[in-house]
């Protein structure tokens, strides 16, 4: 694959603009603002075209020149390029003319959009010469870091709260990382990790590698635009936790406009969160750029970050694009999961339930006009978190293995349905 | 000496008080303010604190007792 020399200018502080050479740092020494990867867009302008992208592999690496990787791709060769589905059934049910589903519930290899960020982070960590990667997580990130570390033949330390569900632990342990169960709350796990990252020379994907890691989320946006024939949709509804995904999709859209790949960045970004943990949506509703941290209490555990690192930038993405946001109750989240499954045959996790529920509300309130184009972000797979559905779903009948037993059961079911 | 990079978020009723002054004077903590935003109804300050470890701990406990939120600069913290 062709590499544009010198496309990566290094890191730049999002607050004071100070520049740093590309290295594993994430905070500006001067103002303590977060650092972001900076590219030479003038150099990229002539070289990146719709055709050059189309000639790339069917994965996130077709956008490699817009990612902070300078050498070869180390891991995750098949990450991304997930289906963008034109919805008929859900569109009818919700009453919207043009509805698309970006389906990362089937993202390789660990079934969530986190594979996009982690494959970039682990490749970068290798490039920096680390032999160990690490993260603090309660689920999707843990699975993805453990899997990609295994592929990279790197050591990995995954920090989780000790009381995490067994299912999530197994889906991480299978890759044989060092799993550190910390007796404490999520908050304490995260704080411990920032201390650990100061002391040990490890690549913490969401701490010291964060500027590179978060760039991986841009590919979710590039794919939407490319799969729509290089057109910016009217609206994108994004589930938010740390607030990085929505910020980076918006960045991707603006970059594509800068590079002439689309006409105008005419998309409104909408934030989707749970009632039980929705500090970013609360900022949007209250029209304030001050984030008030919350204590999460929701079944949408993958979105349960009460004090999001990129909360301010997520809020800015929503405001700058002219979007809005909504909260979904736990009941609405489950309804959203069931609705997507019933209408489109897609089993998403709670985060996807949040997105569907919020889209429904935004349409009902007229925030999203019914005759405009809408993309909903389905970012994780339902088979990882079936627990939330156990109470809601049950087998219809249990019978002996005989035809007459089945005939009777069927008659019963039909009469129940009639009454 | 221990160092800590923190973000202090003040509740509205503490904005008028010289909280950081007391941190320096009563606790002997060296502060180095990097960024701040204070208006009539909200306020946050991003700063570096430097003192002996136990002094830092006492100072932070005192801040929390005053209703000031103390977050390490590495955010993405899931509030328990
Ligand atoms: C399935 C899923 N969707 C969405 C998100 C939100 O991403 P971000 O933290 O970048 O806002 C997460 C994050 O943990 C997630 O696991
Ligand atoms: Zn700075």
């Amino acid at each position: 694959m062709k590499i544009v020399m010198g496309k990566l200018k290094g890191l730049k502080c999002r607050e004071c603009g100070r520049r740093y050479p590309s290295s594993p740092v994430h905070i500006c020494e001067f103002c303590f603002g977060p650092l972001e990867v900076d590219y030479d867009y003038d150099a990229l302008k002539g070289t990146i075209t719709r055709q050059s992208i189309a000639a790339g592999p069917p994965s996130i690496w077709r956008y490699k020149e817009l990612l902070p990787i300078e050498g070869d791709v180390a891991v995750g060769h098949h990450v991304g390029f997930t289906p963008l589905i034109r919805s008929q059934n859900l569109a009818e049910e919700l009453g919207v003319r043009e509805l698309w589903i970006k389906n990362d519930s089937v993202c390789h290899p660990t079934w969530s959009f986190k594979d996009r960020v982690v494959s970039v982070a682990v490749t970068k960590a290798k490039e920096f010469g680390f032999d160990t990667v690490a993260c603090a997580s309660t689920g999707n990130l843990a699975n993805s870091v453990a899997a990609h570390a295994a592929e990279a033949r790197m050591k990995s330390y995954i920090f989780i709260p000790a009381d995490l569900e067994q299912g999530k632990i197994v889906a991480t342990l299978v890759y044989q990382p060092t799993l550190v169960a910390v007796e404490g709350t999520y908050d304490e796990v995260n704080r411990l990790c920032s201390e650990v990252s100061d002391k040990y020379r490890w690549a913490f994907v969401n701490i010291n590698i964060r500027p590179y890691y978060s760039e991986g989320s841009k590919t979710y946006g590039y794919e939407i635009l490319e799969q729509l024939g290089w057109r910016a949709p009217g609206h994108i509804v994004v589930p938010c936790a740390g607030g990085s995904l929505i910020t980076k999709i918006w960045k991707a859209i603006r970059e594509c406009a800068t590079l002439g790949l689309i006409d105008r960045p005419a998309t409104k970004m909408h934030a989707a969160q749970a009632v039980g943990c929705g500090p970013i949506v609360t900022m949007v509703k209250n029209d304030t750029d001050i984030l008030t941290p919350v204590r999460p209490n929701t079944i949408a555990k993958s979105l349960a970050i009460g004090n999001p690192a990129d909360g301010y930038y997520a809020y800015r993405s929503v405001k700058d694009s002219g979007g809005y946001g909504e909260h979904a109750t736990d009941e609405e989240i489950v309804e959203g999961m069931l609705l997507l499954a019933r209408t489109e045959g897609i089993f998403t996790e709670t985060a996807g339930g949040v997105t569907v529920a919020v889209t429904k509300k935004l349409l009902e309130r007229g925030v999203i006009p019914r005759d405009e184009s809408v993309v909903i972000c389905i970012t994780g797979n339902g088979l990882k978190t079936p627990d939330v559905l156990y109470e809601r779903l049950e087998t219809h009948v249990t019978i002996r293995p005989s035809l007459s037993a089945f005939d009777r059961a069927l008659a019963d079911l039909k009469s129940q349905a009639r009454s | 000496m221990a160092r800590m990079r923190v973000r202090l978020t003040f509740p509205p009723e503490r904005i008028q008080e010289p909280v950081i002054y007391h941190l320096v004077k009563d606790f002997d903590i060296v502060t180095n303010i990097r960024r701040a935003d204070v208006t009539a109804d909200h306020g946050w300050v991003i700063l570096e604190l430097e003192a002996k470890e136990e002094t830092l701990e006492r100072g932070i406990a005192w801040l929390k007792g005053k209703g000031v939120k103390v977050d390490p600069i590495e955010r993405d913290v899931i509030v328990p």
Side-chain angles (χ1 to χ4, degrees):
Chain A
M1 201 192 303
K2 183 181 57 177
I3 294 178
V4 180
M5 291 310 291
K7 57 158 185 170
L8 201 61
K9 287 214 275 197
L11 299 172
K12 188 175 165 189
C13 175
R14 269 162 155 180
E15 294 301 323
C16 73
R18 193 163 285 234
R19 290 177 191 284
Y20 295 81
S22 184
S23 59
V25 294
H26 69 299
I27 287 175
C28 173
E29 276 311 312
F30 184 70
C31 77
F32 297 169
L35 300 179
E36 185 174 36
V37 177
D38 191 22
Y39 302 88
D40 185 350
Y41 290 109
D42 287 334
L44 288 171
K45 232 171 225 167
T47 46
I48 295 188
T49 61
R50 295 178 180 184
Q51 291 73 26
S52 72
I53 290 170
S59 70
I60 63 167
W61 303 111
R62 65 205 279 111
Y63 313 106
K64 183 168 179 244
E65 282 154 34
L66 293 163
L67 295 172
I69 301 300
E70 287 162 293
D72 289 335
V73 175
V75 291
H77 291 270
H78 306 285
V79 172
F81 221 63
T82 54
L84 180 74
I85 301 158
R86 175 74 194 256
S87 158
Q88 295 300 338
N89 303 341
L90 181 61
E92 248 169 57
E93 193 99 12
L94 295 179
V96 56
R97 191 174 57 81
E98 186 184 339
L99 183 70
W100 299 85
I101 300 165
K102 179 61 178 166
N103 187 12
D104 261 24
S105 73
V106 291
C107 194
H108 283 158
T110 69
W111 313 107
S112 88
F113 90 99
K114 292 287 178 189
D115 290 329
R116 299 175 182 274
V117 280
V118 172
S119 55
V120 172
V122 172
T123 294
K124 197 66 195 176
K126 242 189 140 110
E127 216 169 275
F128 281 137
F130 286 99
D131 62 6
T132 305
V133 290
C135 74
S137 169
T138 63
N140 289 320
L141 187 59
N143 298 170
S144 191
V145 170
H148 286 95
E151 190 192 349
R153 294 193 160 269
M154 292 169 89
K155 291 186 280 264
S156 66
Y157 286 81
I158 313 285
F159 293 77
I160 55 162
D163 63 354
L164 203 59
E165 301 96 313
Q166 208 52 39
K168 286 182 182 165
I169 294 176
V170 171
T172 304
L173 273 180
V174 68
Y175 305 107
Q176 293 158 55
T178 302
L179 187 67
V180 184
V182 180
E183 287 171 353
T185 61
Y186 301 129
D187 184 43
E188 288 164 319
V189 177
N190 278 289
R191 285 184 190 205
L192 169 65
C193 283
S194 59
E195 285 177 53
V196 174
S197 77
D198 270 346
K199 179 157 182 185
Y200 296 88
R201 221 190 93 78
W202 295 344
F204 266 89
V205 299
N206 51 349
I207 303 178
N208 51 339
I209 305 296
R210 189 175 182 87
Y212 307 94
Y213 156 92
S214 58
E215 285 286 288
S217 281
K218 290 193 304 185
T219 62
Y220 198 98
Y222 299 144
E223 287 177 20
I224 291 173
L225 300 179
E226 184 181 357
Q227 289 168 320
L228 284 174
W230 291 110
R231 170 168 69 96
H235 305 265
I236 303 184
V237 185
V238 190
C240 301
S244 178
L245 178 62
I246 191 169
T247 305
K248 294 294 179 171
I249 294 177
W250 178 232
K251 181 179 180 185
I253 294 172
R254 282 174 301 132
E255 279 182 343
C256 287
T258 302
L259 295 171
L261 294 167
I262 58 168
D263 287 343
R264 283 176 305 122
T267 302
K268 293 185 165 70
M269 306 296 299
H270 301 280
Q273 291 197 296
V275 169
C277 184
I280 293 169
V281 171
T282 302
M283 290 167 90
V284 172
K285 285 184 175 174
N286 294 346
D287 207 5
T288 171
D289 63 4
I290 299 296
L291 184 136
T292 307
V294 300
R295 187 181 291 261
N297 178 19
T298 170
I299 57 167
K301 295 222 168 97
S302 56
L303 302 183
I305 295 184
N307 192 7
D310 290 313
Y312 170 76
Y313 302 103
Y315 164 80
R316 280 259 58 96
S317 305
V318 170
K319 295 304 276 189
D320 294 349
S321 67
Y324 199 60
E326 260 306 341
H327 295 108
T329 65
D330 283 358
E331 179 62 26
E332 289 166 339
I333 294 168
V334 173
E335 290 300 330
M337 293 168 70
L338 294 174
L339 179 61
L340 186 66
R342 175 166 65 74
T343 55
E344 299 291 342
I346 296 171
F347 185 14
T348 185
E349 66 153 83
T350 47
V354 172
T355 307
V356 172
V358 162
T359 306
K360 186 162 183 272
K361 282 184 161 173
L362 292 172
L363 285 163
E364 281 164 2
R365 311 226 158 124
V367 176
I368 298 181
R370 296 184 183 277
D371 60 350
E372 296 185 4
S373 54
V374 184
V375 176
I376 61 174
C377 300
I378 299 303
T379 50
N381 192 296
L383 287 170
K384 289 189 190 182
T385 55
D387 326 35
V388 298
L389 297 175
Y390 288 161
E391 276 175 29
R392 282 294 302 268
L393 305 174
E394 56 182 35
T395 312
H396 287 110
V397 285
T398 306
I399 56 171
R400 283 180 298 100
S402 80
L403 185 58
S404 61
F406 176 70
D407 287 342
R408 247 179 288 121
L410 191 62
D412 283 351
L413 284 173
K414 282 188 172 159
S415 73
Q416 273 169 29
R418 271 195 301 275
S419 64
Chain B
M1 283 296 192
R3 267 191 203 194
M4 225 179 143
R5 301 186 285 196
V6 293
R7 177 188 174 108
L8 307 183
T9 311
F10 298 93
E13 67 274 14
R14 297 283 182 216
I15 287 172
Q16 307 274 10
E17 289 182 26
V19 172
I20 294 175
Y21 167 80
H22 284 292
L23 209 56
V24 175
K25 194 164 158 296
D26 304 350
F27 290 90
D28 205 14
I29 292 176
V30 177
T31 61
N32 184 352
I33 297 179
R34 301 305 179 96
R35 259 189 303 144
D37 184 10
V38 181
T39 66
D41 61 351
H42 77 257
W44 57 258
V45 178
I46 287 178
L47 74 176
E48 191 165 41
L49 305 174
E50 191 174 341
K52 284 214 279 302
E53 181 133 9
E54 76 244 27
T55 310
L56 265 188
E57 276 168 20
R58 278 195 301 123
I60 285 168
W62 174 78
L63 282 170
K64 287 182 176 163
K66 288 212 150 262
V68 176
K69 251 193 79 49
V70 183
D71 292 307
I73 286 301
E74 284 73 21
R75 291 242 252 165
D76 242 4
V77 161
I78 302 171
V79 179

